[in-house]
Amino acid sequence: MLGGPQDEVVVPWQSEHFGYHYFDEELRKFIPLDMTETKFYTDDMFGLKTLDERGSIQRITVENVGHNGFQCDENVLKEHVVPVVKEVLKTTLTTPAKKKR
């Protein structure tokens, strides 16, 4: 998962990492929640916690990149996306497929 605080489209930006937010009445503002603090995670509603615990989730935070930069900035892609894709492909291509019954 790739995101950053300067994303001007995804609000809160933490939702790019499956985070969320709640409104604090006393402070009168939205407070971000980390992915691990959400009900989706704690109740493992769709396997997010399971994936995280087995190391299958990477949360990458990139500073000073706007929303379109995550798709269009060649440096962001080379530095943060390409290495992850290469690792996934290497693992996928070297792990034998399980036989179906």
Side-chain angles (χ1 to χ4, degrees), residues 13-28:
W13 75 268
Q14 290 88 345
S15 63
E16 294 169 322
H17 295 170
F18 274 100
Y20 200 63
H21 66 275
Y22 71 94
F23 189 76
D24 185 304
E25 291 291 339
E26 188 176 313
L27 297 174
R28 307 281 306 144

